Amino acid sequence: MALGWEDIRTEVLRRIEARHWAPGALIPTEEALAEELGCARTTVNRALRDLAAAGLLERRRKAGTRVALHPVRRARFDIPVTRLEIEGRGQSYAFHLIEERRAEPPAAVASLFRSPPGVPLLRLRGLHLADNRPALYEERWLDPAVLPEPAPDFRRISPNEWLVSHVPWTGGDIAFSAANACPEEADILGCAPGAALFVCERVTEAEGRPITSVRLLHAPGYRLRADL
Amino acid sequence: MALGWEDIRTEVLRRIEARHWAPGALIPTEEALAEELGCARTTVNRALRDLAAAGLLERRRKAGTRVALHPVRRARFDIPVTRLEIEGRGQSYAFHLIEERRAEPPAAVASLFRSPPGVPLLRLRGLHLADNRPALYEERWLDPAVLPEPAPDFRRISPNEWLVSHVPWTGGDIAFSAANACPEEADILGCAPGAALFVCERVTEAEGRPITSVRLLHAPGYRLRADL
DNA sequence: GGTTCCATTATGTGCACACAAATTACGATC
DNA sequence: GATCGTAATTTGTGTGCACATAATGGAACC
């Protein structure tokens, strides 16, 4: 019959959901499950590893595998390039560069970049438009060392998109929050001052050093969906 | 020396980041890589599968493996039980039940639950407190069919926490957005009317049917962090 | 009683092999 | 030239085995 690892996962999941094994309880060893379900231990291992990665099981060597006491919901979502996200909704995309200049960053950003005082970074501000309406306003600091000669024309391609396809990144950090639009932001995004904006702050690193930090302000009405 | 699959992943990642293989380009087959790097194809397979799951590679049978053209950033975050999140910050936790009654849901919720008109759902509203200060206000609709007899005392345990540990869930949906606090919400959360609130809306399902839908309003200042 | 050490045990992972599944490339046929 | 069928290729996965690694529990010892 040939049971696949996904079948094993399904069966284990069924038992968890049916409270066949209570939360916090030990479940049989891989070997026992393999014998019971009629497959190799490798196959059980893969299924259990997958469920553990999903947060449903907790596994420790020697201690065994137990059903997670607090099934942490581990949500995942994709962060597409803004252009693709907008075009994916069937809208036309455009990017409007508001500002591009060298400037000394505020202390918080400077310490983040671990750059010595007096060294300017590249300051970029721009607006992403969907069907010619403001959709996303970005304020960015960028380490000019990553730019080639000649520098890309950010009036034609958004910094985000250029970075994604030209600079190898190795890590970073991302956080979401909500903020009231200040008058200038409201003006740029074409919304009322004080409107609640969905904010995404990102720091992108390469080889352990920050390359760029950006604050993305979404126009009112934006929703970020994730899968459980 | 014994190369582990994580070593292989690291090496492949290095080559991607070093633009050794350009975005969109085909990379060698598993077999070729296994021979070159001196390990079994299984090991290469695991490494490449992992990178593909992370969105860095695209793999298709027979077509081979290529470096993703648009390295979609796939972020993951854990959604802990609110109590654990607050206690994890070293603050004391408390839950205050504001309202519990049977009520007919608005049309949008009724259609979501696919419940016939006239059948009431359980309406719950409550406030999560961190160090006795409002942290999270929740408005929930709950299918009373999942409740045992006697029903749990939601003055003692928050609906969220009770559900997580007593009702097997199989899926759901989650979305984040921002909203201005209406006067009542501002009063409950102890913030200014109109303040930008971070909103989390969740629908939880079991066996394909919605069990509960909830709108979570975080007090101003909340940040949701994720890992890239 | 407490500390150290070690055997036991469950998971983690590598390997060689086999076959399955998908998709492409190519050749045969019309 | 277009269409169809088939073979070749690449990834996907199962199996049995071996050994590595970590954590546990208890024995030995002070």
PDB file of all heavy atoms in Angstrom, chain C residues 7-19:
ATOM      1  P    DA C   7      29.327   2.668  31.091  1.00  0.00           P
ATOM      2  OP1  DA C   7      30.382   1.701  31.438  1.00  0.00           O
ATOM      3  OP2  DA C   7      29.511   3.565  29.934  1.00  0.00           O
ATOM      4  O5'  DA C   7      27.954   1.870  30.906  1.00  0.00           O
ATOM      5  C5'  DA C   7      27.307   1.332  32.061  1.00  0.00           C
ATOM      6  C4'  DA C   7      25.804   1.400  31.896  1.00  0.00           C
ATOM      7  O4'  DA C   7      25.366   2.785  31.998  1.00  0.00           O
ATOM      8  C3'  DA C   7      25.294   0.890  30.551  1.00  0.00           C
ATOM      9  O3'  DA C   7      24.123   0.118  30.769  1.00  0.00           O
ATOM     10  C2'  DA C   7      24.996   2.167  29.763  1.00  0.00           C
ATOM     11  C1'  DA C   7      24.600   3.141  30.856  1.00  0.00           C
ATOM     12  N9   DA C   7      24.906   4.555  30.568  1.00  0.00           N
ATOM     13  C8   DA C   7      26.078   5.061  30.089  1.00  0.00           C
ATOM     14  N7   DA C   7      26.081   6.363  29.953  1.00  0.00           N
ATOM     15  C5   DA C   7      24.810   6.744  30.363  1.00  0.00           C
ATOM     16  C6   DA C   7      24.170   7.997  30.448  1.00  0.00           C
ATOM     17  N6   DA C   7      24.764   9.143  30.117  1.00  0.00           N
ATOM     18  N1   DA C   7      22.893   8.018  30.901  1.00  0.00           N
ATOM     19  C2   DA C   7      22.315   6.860  31.232  1.00  0.00           C
ATOM     20  N3   DA C   7      22.808   5.625  31.194  1.00  0.00           N
ATOM     21  C4   DA C   7      24.068   5.640  30.746  1.00  0.00           C
ATOM     22  P    DT C   8      23.383  -0.611  29.599  1.00  0.00           P
ATOM     23  OP1  DT C   8      22.901  -1.918  30.089  1.00  0.00           O
ATOM     24  OP2  DT C   8      24.257  -0.544  28.412  1.00  0.00           O
ATOM     25  O5'  DT C   8      22.121   0.322  29.370  1.00  0.00           O
ATOM     26  C5'  DT C   8      21.352   0.743  30.496  1.00  0.00           C
ATOM     27  C4'  DT C   8      20.287   1.728  30.061  1.00  0.00           C
ATOM     28  O4'  DT C   8      20.872   3.030  29.852  1.00  0.00           O
ATOM     29  C3'  DT C   8      19.563   1.367  28.753  1.00  0.00           C
ATOM     30  O3'  DT C   8      18.169   1.488  28.966  1.00  0.00           O
ATOM     31  C2'  DT C   8      20.085   2.402  27.762  1.00  0.00           C
ATOM     32  C1'  DT C   8      20.346   3.595  28.666  1.00  0.00           C
ATOM     33  N1   DT C   8      21.343   4.589  28.175  1.00  0.00           N
ATOM     34  C2   DT C   8      21.032   5.924  28.227  1.00  0.00           C
ATOM     35  O2   DT C   8      19.975   6.349  28.655  1.00  0.00           O
ATOM     36  N3   DT C   8      22.019   6.765  27.787  1.00  0.00           N
ATOM     37  C4   DT C   8      23.262   6.402  27.281  1.00  0.00           C
ATOM     38  O4   DT C   8      24.058   7.237  26.921  1.00  0.00           O
ATOM     39  C5   DT C   8      23.509   4.990  27.241  1.00  0.00           C
ATOM     40  C7   DT C   8      24.815   4.499  26.718  1.00  0.00           C
ATOM     41  C6   DT C   8      22.556   4.147  27.688  1.00  0.00           C
ATOM     42  P    DT C   9      17.162   0.817  27.926  1.00  0.00           P
ATOM     43  OP1  DT C   9      16.067   0.209  28.703  1.00  0.00           O
ATOM     44  OP2  DT C   9      17.943   0.032  26.946  1.00  0.00           O
ATOM     45  O5'  DT C   9      16.583   2.090  27.180  1.00  0.00           O
ATOM     46  C5'  DT C   9      16.091   3.194  27.946  1.00  0.00           C
ATOM     47  C4'  DT C   9      15.897   4.398  27.059  1.00  0.00           C
ATOM     48  O4'  DT C   9      17.164   5.059  26.817  1.00  0.00           O
ATOM     49  C3'  DT C   9      15.318   4.087  25.674  1.00  0.00           C
ATOM     50  O3'  DT C   9      14.305   5.033  25.385  1.00  0.00           O
ATOM     51  C2'  DT C   9      16.502   4.281  24.753  1.00  0.00           C
ATOM     52  C1'  DT C   9      17.228   5.409  25.465  1.00  0.00           C
ATOM     53  N1   DT C   9      18.659   5.577  25.099  1.00  0.00           N
ATOM     54  C2   DT C   9      19.175   6.845  25.054  1.00  0.00           C
ATOM     55  O2   DT C   9      18.519   7.833  25.306  1.00  0.00           O
ATOM     56  N3   DT C   9      20.503   6.918  24.715  1.00  0.00           N
ATOM     57  C4   DT C   9      21.347   5.865  24.397  1.00  0.00           C
ATOM     58  O4   DT C   9      22.513   6.061  24.110  1.00  0.00           O
ATOM     59  C5   DT C   9      20.735   4.567  24.462  1.00  0.00           C
ATOM     60  C7   DT C   9      21.554   3.351  24.146  1.00  0.00           C
ATOM     61  C6   DT C   9      19.429   4.481  24.799  1.00  0.00           C
ATOM     62  P    DA C  10      13.015   4.541  24.605  1.00  0.00           P
ATOM     63  OP1  DA C  10      11.907   4.337  25.546  1.00  0.00           O
ATOM     64  OP2  DA C  10      13.441   3.445  23.706  1.00  0.00           O
ATOM     65  O5'  DA C  10      12.700   5.810  23.696  1.00  0.00           O
ATOM     66  C5'  DA C  10      12.522   7.071  24.318  1.00  0.00           C
ATOM     67  C4'  DA C  10      13.028   8.156  23.385  1.00  0.00           C
ATOM     68  O4'  DA C  10      14.469   8.123  23.383  1.00  0.00           O
ATOM     69  C3'  DA C  10      12.585   8.007  21.933  1.00  0.00           C
ATOM     70  O3'  DA C  10      11.783   9.099  21.554  1.00  0.00           O
ATOM     71  C2'  DA C  10      13.864   7.948  21.125  1.00  0.00           C
ATOM     72  C1'  DA C  10      14.922   8.430  22.093  1.00  0.00           C
ATOM     73  N9   DA C  10      16.186   7.725  21.913  1.00  0.00           N
ATOM     74  C8   DA C  10      16.375   6.369  21.876  1.00  0.00           C
ATOM     75  N7   DA C  10      17.616   6.012  21.684  1.00  0.00           N
ATOM     76  C5   DA C  10      18.292   7.216  21.581  1.00  0.00           C
ATOM     77  C6   DA C  10      19.643   7.521  21.383  1.00  0.00           C
ATOM     78  N6   DA C  10      20.584   6.594  21.233  1.00  0.00           N
ATOM     79  N1   DA C  10      19.978   8.823  21.342  1.00  0.00           N
ATOM     80  C2   DA C  10      19.026   9.752  21.497  1.00  0.00           C
ATOM     81  N3   DA C  10      17.719   9.589  21.691  1.00  0.00           N
ATOM     82  C4   DA C  10      17.424   8.282  21.732  1.00  0.00           C
ATOM     83  P    DT C  11      11.337   9.273  20.032  1.00  0.00           P
ATOM     84  OP1  DT C  11      10.034   9.938  20.069  1.00  0.00           O
ATOM     85  OP2  DT C  11      11.498   7.996  19.327  1.00  0.00           O
ATOM     86  O5'  DT C  11      12.420  10.293  19.480  1.00  0.00           O
ATOM     87  C5'  DT C  11      12.543  11.563  20.090  1.00  0.00           C
ATOM     88  C4'  DT C  11      13.796  12.260  19.601  1.00  0.00           C
ATOM     89  O4'  DT C  11      14.926  11.374  19.731  1.00  0.00           O
ATOM     90  C3'  DT C  11      13.766  12.691  18.134  1.00  0.00           C
ATOM     91  O3'  DT C  11      14.259  14.013  18.060  1.00  0.00           O
ATOM     92  C2'  DT C  11      14.688  11.696  17.449  1.00  0.00           C
ATOM     93  C1'  DT C  11      15.692  11.421  18.557  1.00  0.00           C
ATOM     94  N1   DT C  11      16.430  10.142  18.422  1.00  0.00           N
ATOM     95  C2   DT C  11      17.795  10.170  18.323  1.00  0.00           C
ATOM     96  O2   DT C  11      18.442  11.200  18.335  1.00  0.00           O
ATOM     97  N3   DT C  11      18.393   8.939  18.202  1.00  0.00           N
ATOM     98  C4   DT C  11      17.775   7.706  18.173  1.00  0.00           C
ATOM     99  O4   DT C  11      18.411   6.666  18.069  1.00  0.00           O
ATOM    100  C5   DT C  11      16.343   7.754  18.278  1.00  0.00           C
ATOM    101  C7   DT C  11      15.555   6.472  18.263  1.00  0.00           C
ATOM    102  C6   DT C  11      15.747   8.946  18.391  1.00  0.00           C
ATOM    103  P    DG C  12      14.327  14.767  16.679  1.00  0.00           P
ATOM    104  OP1  DG C  12      14.152  16.205  16.922  1.00  0.00           O
ATOM    105  OP2  DG C  12      13.428  14.056  15.749  1.00  0.00           O
ATOM    106  O5'  DG C  12      15.823  14.511  16.216  1.00  0.00           O
ATOM    107  C5'  DG C  12      16.872  15.241  16.838  1.00  0.00           C
ATOM    108  C4'  DG C  12      18.122  15.203  15.976  1.00  0.00           C
ATOM    109  O4'  DG C  12      18.705  13.878  16.046  1.00  0.00           O
ATOM    110  C3'  DG C  12      17.871  15.468  14.485  1.00  0.00           C
ATOM    111  O3'  DG C  12      18.904  16.320  13.994  1.00  0.00           O
ATOM    112  C2'  DG C  12      17.909  14.090  13.851  1.00  0.00           C
ATOM    113  C1'  DG C  12      18.904  13.360  14.753  1.00  0.00           C
ATOM    114  N9   DG C  12      18.694  11.918  14.839  1.00  0.00           N
ATOM    115  C8   DG C  12      17.515  11.278  15.088  1.00  0.00           C
ATOM    116  N7   DG C  12      17.624   9.978  15.109  1.00  0.00           N
ATOM    117  C5   DG C  12      18.975   9.744  14.855  1.00  0.00           C
ATOM    118  C6   DG C  12      19.697   8.522  14.757  1.00  0.00           C
ATOM    119  O6   DG C  12      19.259   7.369  14.872  1.00  0.00           O
ATOM    120  N1   DG C  12      21.037   8.741  14.494  1.00  0.00           N
ATOM    121  C2   DG C  12      21.624   9.976  14.343  1.00  0.00           C
ATOM    122  N2   DG C  12      22.927   9.992  14.095  1.00  0.00           N
ATOM    123  N3   DG C  12      20.953  11.124  14.435  1.00  0.00           N
ATOM    124  C4   DG C  12      19.641  10.934  14.695  1.00  0.00           C
ATOM    125  P    DT C  13      18.758  16.908  12.543  1.00  0.00           P
ATOM    126  OP1  DT C  13      19.447  18.203  12.589  1.00  0.00           O
ATOM    127  OP2  DT C  13      17.398  16.768  11.998  1.00  0.00           O
ATOM    128  O5'  DT C  13      19.690  15.897  11.748  1.00  0.00           O
ATOM    129  C5'  DT C  13      21.018  15.696  12.202  1.00  0.00           C
ATOM    130  C4'  DT C  13      21.638  14.547  11.453  1.00  0.00           C
ATOM    131  O4'  DT C  13      21.045  13.301  11.858  1.00  0.00           O
ATOM    132  C3'  DT C  13      21.467  14.596   9.927  1.00  0.00           C
ATOM    133  O3'  DT C  13      22.749  14.757   9.378  1.00  0.00           O
ATOM    134  C2'  DT C  13      20.848  13.247   9.563  1.00  0.00           C
ATOM    135  C1'  DT C  13      21.185  12.417  10.784  1.00  0.00           C
ATOM    136  N1   DT C  13      20.303  11.253  11.029  1.00  0.00           N
ATOM    137  C2   DT C  13      20.873  10.016  11.080  1.00  0.00           C
ATOM    138  O2   DT C  13      22.070   9.828  10.921  1.00  0.00           O
ATOM    139  N3   DT C  13      19.996   8.979  11.316  1.00  0.00           N
ATOM    140  C4   DT C  13      18.633   9.082  11.510  1.00  0.00           C
ATOM    141  O4   DT C  13      17.950   8.088  11.711  1.00  0.00           O
ATOM    142  C5   DT C  13      18.098  10.422  11.451  1.00  0.00           C
ATOM    143  C7   DT C  13      16.628  10.643  11.656  1.00  0.00           C
ATOM    144  C6   DT C  13      18.950  11.427  11.218  1.00  0.00           C
ATOM    145  P    DG C  14      22.926  15.122   7.850  1.00  0.00           P
ATOM    146  OP1  DG C  14      23.786  16.304   7.816  1.00  0.00           O
ATOM    147  OP2  DG C  14      21.611  15.118   7.186  1.00  0.00           O
ATOM    148  O5'  DG C  14      23.747  13.872   7.283  1.00  0.00           O
ATOM    149  C5'  DG C  14      24.942  13.470   7.933  1.00  0.00           C
ATOM    150  C4'  DG C  14      25.338  12.105   7.429  1.00  0.00           C
ATOM    151  O4'  DG C  14      24.458  11.128   8.016  1.00  0.00           O
ATOM    152  C3'  DG C  14      25.241  11.943   5.908  1.00  0.00           C
ATOM    153  O3'  DG C  14      26.472  11.439   5.411  1.00  0.00           O
ATOM    154  C2'  DG C  14      24.090  10.959   5.706  1.00  0.00           C
ATOM    155  C1'  DG C  14      24.057  10.198   7.032  1.00  0.00           C
ATOM    156  N9   DG C  14      22.729   9.716   7.384  1.00  0.00           N
ATOM    157  C8   DG C  14      21.617  10.479   7.615  1.00  0.00           C
ATOM    158  N7   DG C  14      20.556   9.780   7.922  1.00  0.00           N
ATOM    159  C5   DG C  14      20.994   8.463   7.885  1.00  0.00           C
ATOM    160  C6   DG C  14      20.289   7.256   8.118  1.00  0.00           C
ATOM    161  O6   DG C  14      19.108   7.120   8.410  1.00  0.00           O
ATOM    162  N1   DG C  14      21.109   6.149   7.973  1.00  0.00           N
ATOM    163  C2   DG C  14      22.451   6.187   7.649  1.00  0.00           C
ATOM    164  N2   DG C  14      23.074   5.026   7.551  1.00  0.00           N
ATOM    165  N3   DG C  14      23.124   7.319   7.422  1.00  0.00           N
ATOM    166  C4   DG C  14      22.334   8.398   7.554  1.00  0.00           C
ATOM    167  P    DC C  15      26.721  11.361   3.890  1.00  0.00           P
ATOM    168  OP1  DC C  15      28.170  11.474   3.721  1.00  0.00           O
ATOM    169  OP2  DC C  15      25.792  12.255   3.171  1.00  0.00           O
ATOM    170  O5'  DC C  15      26.305   9.866   3.558  1.00  0.00           O
ATOM    171  C5'  DC C  15      26.926   8.797   4.273  1.00  0.00           C
ATOM    172  C4'  DC C  15      26.392   7.488   3.756  1.00  0.00           C
ATOM    173  O4'  DC C  15      25.103   7.236   4.364  1.00  0.00           O
ATOM    174  C3'  DC C  15      26.175   7.441   2.238  1.00  0.00           C
ATOM    175  O3'  DC C  15      26.866   6.337   1.703  1.00  0.00           O
ATOM    176  C2'  DC C  15      24.664   7.303   2.074  1.00  0.00           C
ATOM    177  C1'  DC C  15      24.255   6.666   3.395  1.00  0.00           C
ATOM    178  N1   DC C  15      22.853   6.972   3.811  1.00  0.00           N
ATOM    179  C2   DC C  15      21.987   5.917   4.096  1.00  0.00           C
ATOM    180  O2   DC C  15      22.391   4.756   3.981  1.00  0.00           O
ATOM    181  N3   DC C  15      20.720   6.199   4.483  1.00  0.00           N
ATOM    182  C4   DC C  15      20.323   7.466   4.600  1.00  0.00           C
ATOM    183  N4   DC C  15      19.074   7.693   4.998  1.00  0.00           N
ATOM    184  C5   DC C  15      21.193   8.552   4.308  1.00  0.00           C
ATOM    185  C6   DC C  15      22.447   8.262   3.919  1.00  0.00           C
ATOM    186  P    DA C  16      27.320   6.400   0.159  1.00  0.00           P
ATOM    187  OP1  DA C  16      28.769   6.164   0.136  1.00  0.00           O
ATOM    188  OP2  DA C  16      26.730   7.578  -0.503  1.00  0.00           O
ATOM    189  O5'  DA C  16      26.583   5.112  -0.416  1.00  0.00           O
ATOM    190  C5'  DA C  16      26.659   3.896   0.339  1.00  0.00           C
ATOM    191  C4'  DA C  16      25.559   2.976  -0.100  1.00  0.00           C
ATOM    192  O4'  DA C  16      24.325   3.371   0.557  1.00  0.00           O
ATOM    193  C3'  DA C  16      25.274   2.992  -1.606  1.00  0.00           C
ATOM    194  O3'  DA C  16      25.191   1.656  -2.083  1.00  0.00           O
ATOM    195  C2'  DA C  16      23.944   3.737  -1.722  1.00  0.00           C
ATOM    196  C1'  DA C  16      23.283   3.395  -0.391  1.00  0.00           C
ATOM    197  N9   DA C  16      22.309   4.401   0.052  1.00  0.00           N
ATOM    198  C8   DA C  16      22.454   5.764   0.011  1.00  0.00           C
ATOM    199  N7   DA C  16      21.419   6.425   0.474  1.00  0.00           N
ATOM    200  C5   DA C  16      20.535   5.438   0.852  1.00  0.00           C
ATOM    201  C6   DA C  16      19.249   5.479   1.417  1.00  0.00           C
ATOM    202  N6   DA C  16      18.612   6.620   1.719  1.00  0.00           N
ATOM    203  N1   DA C  16      18.628   4.306   1.671  1.00  0.00           N
ATOM    204  C2   DA C  16      19.273   3.167   1.368  1.00  0.00           C
ATOM    205  N3   DA C  16      20.482   2.992   0.823  1.00  0.00           N
ATOM    206  C4   DA C  16      21.066   4.178   0.598  1.00  0.00           C
ATOM    207  P    DC C  17      25.115   1.394  -3.670  1.00  0.00           P
ATOM    208  OP1  DC C  17      25.866   0.168  -3.893  1.00  0.00           O
ATOM    209  OP2  DC C  17      25.430   2.649  -4.408  1.00  0.00           O
ATOM    210  O5'  DC C  17      23.569   1.094  -3.878  1.00  0.00           O
ATOM    211  C5'  DC C  17      22.921   0.127  -3.036  1.00  0.00           C
ATOM    212  C4'  DC C  17      21.435   0.326  -3.081  1.00  0.00           C
ATOM    213  O4'  DC C  17      21.064   1.554  -2.435  1.00  0.00           O
ATOM    214  C3'  DC C  17      20.817   0.436  -4.482  1.00  0.00           C
ATOM    215  O3'  DC C  17      20.297  -0.831  -4.859  1.00  0.00           O
ATOM    216  C2'  DC C  17      19.705   1.482  -4.318  1.00  0.00           C
ATOM    217  C1'  DC C  17      19.738   1.824  -2.833  1.00  0.00           C
ATOM    218  N1   DC C  17      19.408   3.252  -2.557  1.00  0.00           N
ATOM    219  C2   DC C  17      18.198   3.561  -1.934  1.00  0.00           C
ATOM    220  O2   DC C  17      17.432   2.647  -1.630  1.00  0.00           O
ATOM    221  N3   DC C  17      17.891   4.865  -1.688  1.00  0.00           N
ATOM    222  C4   DC C  17      18.752   5.823  -2.042  1.00  0.00           C
ATOM    223  N4   DC C  17      18.408   7.080  -1.776  1.00  0.00           N
ATOM    224  C5   DC C  17      19.987   5.529  -2.672  1.00  0.00           C
ATOM    225  C6   DC C  17      20.282   4.240  -2.908  1.00  0.00           C
ATOM    226  P    DA C  18      19.754  -1.056  -6.341  1.00  0.00           P
ATOM    227  OP1  DA C  18      19.890  -2.497  -6.633  1.00  0.00           O
ATOM    228  OP2  DA C  18      20.359  -0.054  -7.251  1.00  0.00           O
ATOM    229  O5'  DA C  18      18.208  -0.702  -6.185  1.00  0.00           O
ATOM    230  C5'  DA C  18      17.456  -1.316  -5.141  1.00  0.00           C
ATOM    231  C4'  DA C  18      16.094  -0.658  -5.074  1.00  0.00           C
ATOM    232  O4'  DA C  18      16.241   0.673  -4.521  1.00  0.00           O
ATOM    233  C3'  DA C  18      15.449  -0.470  -6.451  1.00  0.00           C
ATOM    234  O3'  DA C  18      14.336  -1.344  -6.584  1.00  0.00           O
ATOM    235  C2'  DA C  18      15.013   0.994  -6.484  1.00  0.00           C
ATOM    236  C1'  DA C  18      15.271   1.515  -5.084  1.00  0.00           C
ATOM    237  N9   DA C  18      15.814   2.875  -5.069  1.00  0.00           N
ATOM    238  C8   DA C  18      16.998   3.307  -5.596  1.00  0.00           C
ATOM    239  N7   DA C  18      17.217   4.592  -5.433  1.00  0.00           N
ATOM    240  C5   DA C  18      16.095   5.032  -4.749  1.00  0.00           C
ATOM    241  C6   DA C  18      15.712   6.305  -4.275  1.00  0.00           C
ATOM    242  N6   DA C  18      16.458   7.398  -4.426  1.00  0.00           N
ATOM    243  N1   DA C  18      14.527   6.399  -3.631  1.00  0.00           N
ATOM    244  C2   DA C  18      13.782   5.302  -3.489  1.00  0.00           C
ATOM    245  N3   DA C  18      14.033   4.050  -3.892  1.00  0.00           N
ATOM    246  C4   DA C  18      15.217   3.994  -4.514  1.00  0.00           C
ATOM    247  P    DC C  19      13.694  -1.511  -8.065  1.00  0.00           P
ATOM    248  OP1  DC C  19      13.131  -2.861  -8.084  1.00  0.00           O
ATOM    249  OP2  DC C  19      14.629  -1.058  -9.110  1.00  0.00           O
ATOM    250  O5'  DC C  19      12.490  -0.462  -8.021  1.00  0.00           O
ATOM    251  C5'  DC C  19      11.617  -0.466  -6.886  1.00  0.00           C
ATOM    252  C4'  DC C  19      10.887   0.851  -6.818  1.00  0.00           C
ATOM    253  O4'  DC C  19      11.825   1.923  -6.574  1.00  0.00           O
ATOM    254  C3'  DC C  19      10.114   1.255  -8.096  1.00  0.00           C
ATOM    255  O3'  DC C  19       8.785   1.542  -7.728  1.00  0.00           O
ATOM    256  C2'  DC C  19      10.856   2.477  -8.598  1.00  0.00           C
ATOM    257  C1'  DC C  19      11.352   3.061  -7.263  1.00  0.00           C
ATOM    258  N1   DC C  19      12.451   4.052  -7.385  1.00  0.00           N
ATOM    259  C2   DC C  19      12.323   5.284  -6.729  1.00  0.00           C
ATOM    260  O2   DC C  19      11.308   5.508  -6.070  1.00  0.00           O
ATOM    261  N3   DC C  19      13.317   6.196  -6.845  1.00  0.00           N
ATOM    262  C4   DC C  19      14.398   5.911  -7.565  1.00  0.00           C
ATOM    263  N4   DC C  19      15.352   6.853  -7.629  1.00  0.00           N
ATOM    264  C5   DC C  19      14.562   4.666  -8.237  1.00  0.00           C
ATOM    265  C6   DC C  19      13.566   3.772  -8.121  1.00  0.00           C
TER     266       DC C  19
END
